[in-house]
Amino acid sequence: MKCAIITEKADVARRISFFLSEGKAKSKRSKGHNYIEFEKDGNTYVVVPLSGHIVEINFPPSMKDWKSVDLRKLVESETVIEVKNRSAYSTLKDIAADADQIIIATDYDREGELIGMEALNIVLEERQRRHLGMPDIKRAKFSALTRQEVTEAFSNLIDVNKAMADSAEAREVIDLLWGAVLTRFFSNATGRWGRDFLSIGRVQTPTLALIVKREREILSFVPEKFWRVFVSFDKGGTFRAEHVEGNIKDHRRVEEILSKVRGKDGRVRSFERWEEPIRRPAPFNTNEFLREASRIGISPANAMRIAESLYNRGYISYPRTDNTVYNRSLPLRKIVESLAETQFSREANMVLSLDSVRPSRGRTEATDHPPIYPASAAKKGELTGDYAKIYELVVRRFLATLYTDGTREVREATIEVSGEEFRARGVRVTEPGWLSIYTYHRQAEAFLPDLHSGEEVKAIDWYEEEDETKPPPRYDMSSLLRKMEELNLGTKSTRHDIIEKLQKRGFIEGNPVRPTPLGMSLIDSILTVESKISEPEMTAELEVDMDRIAENKVDKESVVNQSRKMLSSVLEDFREKEDIINGKIKEAENSGETVGLCPVHSREVIAIKKRDHYEIRCTVEGCPINYRLYARGSIKKTDERCSACSKPLIKVIRKGQSPELRCIDPACAFNVERSRMGKCPSDGGDLVVRQSRNGKRFLSCSNYPKCTVSYPLPQMGTVEPTGQVCQYCGAPILLSIRGRRRWRFCPKMDCQFNRRRGDEEPAS
């Protein structure tokens, strides 16, 4: 018998093959695509990896021209299936079509089920062409790429779930329709095509609207002053108590209180002390994992990419899950025992020292995948950089969910001073419990001594603190993900992608997140009509429909058709407001931050953030001060002028690098001189500092592309030329400065110069 196993990725194919064949599988190639083959129990197995979707939904060729196609027809247009991975498509037909059994082993979620069904349909079509009968069709469900999980999954095969695939396909069609129709409308209405197109999305637009709404609240917020009154006391240490009225808006009342209490000691009216638990965190689901990753400086999109890679390599379980309750069948103690042989031995042994391992539980118990946990133990040094950070985050969270609750002692006292009441609160962690494992969280503590009702306490200071009411905070990545989950915007698998798209398309920036002028004007344009497109309710309703399709309660065609009707109505509303929409977007295109004064007209020079660059120009139409600056990161005003051309100097701030002072004119001698590090050893050209598209700096020859000499540079700190030349390779010797450390190096990393010692210079 021949069995064809279809996987989503090459790493998964290799691990499955290794476990099922006991390491005897062989890699082969067909139609330009790699696959794996092995024999087991007298049967032949072929494992075909797909690299994700090998087909995609699109419009027919007659509907693809943005400018000529009537958008009303596009709403009603049928969709077609196009092959996007020709080599995988051909290999499936060549290798898998004659199999007696087909096993789908893609990720077990809606997207994975759709990918598997797409591949299965290709195989079945080819079998029909060859007049072959129907094969046995099964699905392997696993949540971690470990030997135990994989072998159990293939020993207990289940049926494929067509309803899950239909749900994912309905989402694809609806997202294509809404995205294509409204993106084309807004782009055509404003004349923004090519790289500058205006992207609209069923989920990304209401997400952007959330951010813009918060920014509007911040901009319109009018702060109010208030005061708080404190008395500091001394008993075995200093502590302070706040007046019971809290935020006082009338300063005359503050003066009245202080005039009564100044110079007076206090008398304790009440004192209470109790202990309360510091509850363990729930196991990681996708959204909580992404939020915690953002707190350690790793963006949601990057965290998910790393998590998927760690899953494919067998280090962690499947990272796309809603579940916050470990399955009873999960061998928790065995996993902890494996971690005891790693750098987490102290933490693992803390868990193993308990009489029994009883995990915490979250609110959501699902049946698709367990919470995220470490599937195998990584030795120290196996993972580096952000991969090591994400793995450690998963390990520490897992162990924390298995350890004990913490405990804190809380103390509260009411103290009367000359007839005025003050309250003091103290908190002390008495037993850290899980906090000693999950080191990312800290408990705030405050000192309050033992007090007794009726005793006098010596006051040593009486004072007021002035403050003002604050606007609501901007969303950071963590709180934005939480809000999207709360409003049912997107899914656990798509939310991080939505945020990344908004960043890449120039609608939002920074963390905490703020909308760009373009992002704000886009939402303002959308709000010119009474449409639900910017409201989370419409998207949430569609998410409910996706669930109903997956549960076989409604068919995908009816959901798609209902969405077409809604889209048609929205489009007509926007068509009536086209001129207003165009005006709002044009206004945003001409707004930016002031970076200095024009040396020609003495008018403001503004920096306008575009998708992949800044447009820096004078506000006077036709002024020659008009430049493009391709700089990943942000720019700041300096109030300085260039010594070479008198144009404004700006500060370019890139993540991980020291701020760079630049003239707004890219060709200015000021910039050229500061970026020149020495002569190219190949052709004598200038070696200059450049920035890659990924924001990494490097050295390359000014005669590129004729000369392709280039060198990597340290990403942190500053780099300066020394005027010296390497005696071994001829490259210029550079000086790297990071904090108090200064050291000379050759940019050719494998050069003998860098293997010498004694080139570090003392800090100046």
Side-chain angles (χ1 to χ4, degrees):
M1 185 181 83
K2 181 178 180 180
C3 176
I5 300 172
I6 298 171
T7 71
E8 201 164 323
K9 303 173 187 72
D11 284 343
V12 178
R14 284 191 286 269
R15 291 187 69 82
I16 288 175
S17 301
F18 180 82
F19 294 139
L20 296 183
S21 71
E22 299 296 334
K24 297 177 182 178
K26 294 181 180 179
S27 181
K28 295 194 173 184
R29 193 170 180 83
S30 169
K31 306 294 184 181
H33 191 78
N34 292 328
Y35 70 98
I36 301 171
E37 185 174 292
F38 61 90
E39 300 288 328
K40 182 179 181 181
D41 300 330
N43 299 318
T44 299
Y45 288 80
V46 290
V47 186
V48 183
L50 302 179
S51 302
H53 289 278
I54 60 174
V55 298
E56 64 183 353
I57 297 172
N58 210 333
F59 293 109
S62 61
M63 291 286 160
K64 289 189 176 180
D65 187 86
W66 281 38
K67 298 180 183 179
S68 64
V69 171
D70 186 335
L71 295 181
R72 288 168 293 193
K73 292 182 179 178
L74 189 64
V75 172
E76 301 301 329
S77 173
E78 294 300 317
T79 57
V80 296
I81 301 294
E82 295 180 348
V83 177
K84 61 183 285 190
N85 187 335
R86 182 63 60 178
S87 62
Y89 175 81
S90 300
T91 300
L92 272 175
K93 297 206 304 183
D94 184 47
I95 299 300
D98 62 345
D100 303 291
Q101 185 182 49
I102 309 292
I103 300 177
I104 305 300
T106 51
D107 294 343
Y108 190 72
D109 57 16
R110 293 178 189 176
E111 196 73 12
E113 206 72 2
L114 177 58
I115 291 171
M117 288 298 297
E118 290 168 348
L120 181 59
N121 289 336
I122 292 168
V123 171
L124 295 180
E125 286 173 8
E126 179 62 15
R127 290 180 69 90
Q128 188 176 19
R129 190 187 69 80
R130 298 187 195 180
H131 304 290
L132 299 175
M134 182 67 70
D136 180 36
I137 301 169
K138 290 295 181 183
R139 126 78 81 194
K141 175 186 174 182
F142 46 85
S143 299
L145 287 166
T146 60
R147 182 184 298 277
Q148 179 179 344
E149 282 250 3
V150 169
T151 53
E152 284 184 2
F154 279 85
S155 298
N156 299 279
L157 297 171
I158 62 175
D159 294 328
V160 294
N161 191 328
K162 186 176 183 300
M164 278 177 63
D166 283 348
S167 174
E169 186 176 356
R171 184 193 303 280
E172 282 193 355
V173 173
I174 291 170
D175 286 351
L176 174 66
L177 287 168
W178 282 82
V181 170
L182 296 182
T183 293
R184 290 190 195 185
F185 170 79
F186 276 84
S187 299
N188 289 337
T190 57
R192 293 174 63 104
W193 300 292
R195 293 179 62 86
D196 291 328
F197 73 94
L198 281 179
S199 172
I200 309 293
R202 183 180 63 84
V203 180
Q204 82 174 38
T205 299
T207 302
L208 176 60
L210 279 177
I211 298 167
V212 170
K213 181 182 178 183
R214 177 60 56 88
E215 192 70 16
R216 293 289 186 206
E217 292 172 353
I218 293 170
L219 292 174
S220 63
F221 184 81
V222 179
E224 290 185 72
K225 280 188 178 181
F226 65 84
W227 292 264
R228 299 161 70 197
V229 181
F230 296 92
V231 176
S232 290
F233 299 96
D234 182 27
K235 182 187 178 184
T238 301
F239 67 95
R240 73 175 188 171
E242 181 181 356
H243 194 275
V244 293
E245 292 181 22
N247 298 347
I248 303 171
K249 294 184 178 180
D250 186 350
H251 194 257
R252 288 174 298 182
R253 173 60 178 147
V254 173
E255 293 172 342
E256 178 189 342
I257 295 170
L258 286 174
S259 67
K260 289 176 66 177
V261 303
R262 189 172 282 117
K264 306 291 178 61
D265 292 331
R267 182 176 296 277
V268 178
R269 290 301 180 199
S270 66
F271 177 75
E272 292 182 274
R273 176 174 55 196
W274 69 91
E275 284 197 342
E276 60 185 28
I278 309 171
R279 299 294 184 191
R280 294 173 291 173
F284 263 157
N285 63 6
T286 301
N287 288 306
E288 182 64 18
F289 159 69
L290 294 177
R291 288 196 289 265
E292 291 294 283
S294 73
R295 289 195 177 102
I296 62 172
I298 302 175
S299 71
N302 193 33
M304 182 53 75
R305 279 191 288 267
I306 292 171
E308 287 175 343
S309 175
L310 293 175
Y311 163 70
N312 292 334
R313 294 159 65 184
Y315 287 113
I316 67 173
S317 63
Y318 190 59
R320 299 178 188 270
T321 177
D322 291 321
N323 206 346
T324 56
V325 179
Y326 294 124
N327 303 348
R328 290 189 176 183
S329 60
L330 201 63
L332 299 176
R333 178 172 285 275
K334 187 175 180 181
I335 297 171
V336 177
E337 288 171 350
S338 70
L339 294 171
E341 304 299 321
T342 70
Q343 60 181 312
F344 306 106
S345 58
R346 182 186 73 86
E347 293 85 352
N349 284 320
M350 288 168 62
V351 175
L352 293 173
S353 68
L354 301 175
D355 293 335
S356 62
V357 176
R358 295 182 179 179
S360 62
R361 295 171 59 91
R363 295 181 179 180
T364 304
E365 186 169 8
T367 58
D368 54 350
H369 291 285
I372 304 169
Y373 67 90
S376 65
K379 302 295 183 183
K380 189 172 183 178
E382 276 185 37
L383 300 171
T384 59
D386 286 348
Y387 285 80
K389 291 179 182 178
I390 290 294
Y391 180 74
E392 180 174 353
L393 178 68
V394 171
V395 169
R396 289 190 178 279
R397 181 63 166 236
F398 171 72
L399 293 174
T401 64
L402 305 181
Y403 200 50
T404 58
D405 288 342
T407 306
R408 63 186 168 203
E409 182 188 73
V410 182
R411 302 178 176 198
E412 286 188 356
T414 302
I415 303 173
E416 182 184 304
V417 182
S418 191
E420 298 288 344
E421 282 195 355
F422 292 78
R423 287 203 183 102
R425 179 181 172 88
V427 179
R428 181 172 65 92
V429 175
T430 55
E431 177 55 56
W434 64 274
L435 290 168
S436 58
I437 294 176
Y438 199 69
T439 53
Y440 310 98
H441 283 204
R442 292 285 185 271
Q443 283 282 312
E445 295 186 297
F447 170 71
L448 182 64
D450 278 329
L451 298 172
H452 304 283
S453 181
E455 76 169 295
E456 288 193 2
V457 283
K458 183 174 180 55
I460 57 176
D461 197 9
W462 309 259
Y463 57 97
E464 64 181 86
E465 287 186 358
E466 181 180 318
D467 204 344
E468 60 182 22
T469 54
K470 302 291 191 299
R474 291 187 175 93
Y475 294 107
D476 59 15
M477 293 299 177
S478 175
S479 59
L480 182 57
L481 283 166
R482 182 180 290 110
K483 191 67 176 178
M484 292 174 73
E485 181 182 17
E486 175 188 321
L487 297 174
N488 210 6
L489 281 173
T491 68
K492 61 182 180 292
S493 302
T494 62
R495 291 181 185 117
H496 60 284
D497 284 332
I498 295 299
I499 296 173
E500 186 177 43
K501 283 180 181 177
L502 290 173
Q503 291 173 320
K504 287 184 175 179
R505 290 166 181 171
F507 295 143
I508 64 173
E509 60 187 1
N511 185 23
V513 179
R514 61 188 304 167
T516 63
L518 180 61
M520 295 187 74
S521 67
L522 180 62
I523 295 302
D524 290 345
S525 299
I526 289 171
L527 293 176
T528 58
V529 304
E530 291 185 7
S531 164
K532 290 185 177 180
I533 183 177
S534 64
E535 298 296 329
E537 287 78 14
M538 186 192 78
T539 293
E541 288 169 9
L542 283 170
E543 294 300 338
V544 172
D545 286 337
M546 299 302 113
D547 291 338
R548 294 175 66 214
I549 295 172
E551 295 164 2
N552 263 323
K553 294 179 179 178
V554 65
D555 62 87
K556 68 179 179 183
E557 286 77 14
S558 63
V559 172
V560 171
N561 289 335
Q562 181 63 32
S563 191
R564 287 184 196 270
K565 291 178 183 178
M566 192 185 304
L567 174 58
S568 179
S569 174
V570 169
L571 176 62
E572 289 308 309
D573 290 340
F574 280 132
R575 285 166 61 89
E576 294 176 5
K577 304 281 188 173
E578 188 167 336
D579 290 341
I580 298 174
I581 290 169
N582 184 38
K584 288 184 178 292
I585 298 298
K586 293 299 182 187
E587 183 181 338
E589 290 177 343
N590 293 307
S591 64
E593 293 188 15
T594 301
V595 294
L597 290 179
C598 171
V600 179
H601 297 98
S602 296
R603 296 283 292 275
E604 287 184 339
V605 174
I606 58 173
I608 303 171
K609 174 72 171 169
K610 300 293 185 179
R611 183 165 298 178
D612 60 350
H613 67 279
Y614 282 92
E615 183 180 309
I616 302 178
R617 60 177 172 82
C618 175
T619 50
V620 175
E621 192 72 29
C623 178
I625 305 298
N626 193 333
Y627 306 110
R628 282 193 172 196
L629 174 62
Y630 291 89
R632 281 187 168 270
S634 60
I635 62 177
K636 300 294 181 185
K637 181 181 177 182
T638 67
D639 293 325
E640 298 180 47
R641 286 189 175 273
C642 177
S643 57
C645 68
S646 297
K647 295 167 189 168
L649 291 179
I650 56 174
K651 191 176 289 185
V652 180
I653 301 172
R654 302 180 181 92
K655 184 178 180 180
Q657 298 181 21
S658 296
E660 177 189 6
L661 196 65
R662 288 181 61 92
C663 174
I664 62 169
D665 182 354
C668 178
F670 180 88
N671 294 333
V672 173
E673 189 60 35
R674 290 174 70 89
S675 66
R676 187 182 291 134
M677 293 289 134
K679 294 296 181 181
C680 173
S682 177
D683 67 353
D686 290 324
L687 284 175
V688 295
V689 179
R690 302 187 191 279
Q691 298 282 337
S692 72
R693 289 185 178 181
N694 295 324
K696 302 293 186 182
R697 62 182 174 189
F698 64 99
L699 276 185
S700 70
C701 182
S702 58
N703 293 326
Y704 178 85
K706 290 184 179 179
C707 179
T708 58
V709 169
S710 67
Y711 303 104
L713 287 175
Q715 298 305 305
M716 305 291 283
T718 59
V719 178
E720 296 179 359
T722 65
Q724 300 171 326
V725 175
C726 178
Q727 60 182 309
Y728 301 103
C729 69
I733 298 300
L734 306 179
L735 179 66
S736 177
I737 305 172
R738 185 177 176 188
R740 294 179 55 82
R741 191 180 176 205
R742 304 159 62 92
W743 70 96
R744 293 184 303 144
F745 69 98
C746 175
K748 189 173 185 294
M749 290 296 104
D750 59 353
C751 179
Q752 186 175 341
F753 181 91
N754 294 326
R755 293 195 289 270
R756 299 170 56 191
R757 296 186 177 181
D759 287 308
E760 189 164 324
E761 300 184 355
S764 58

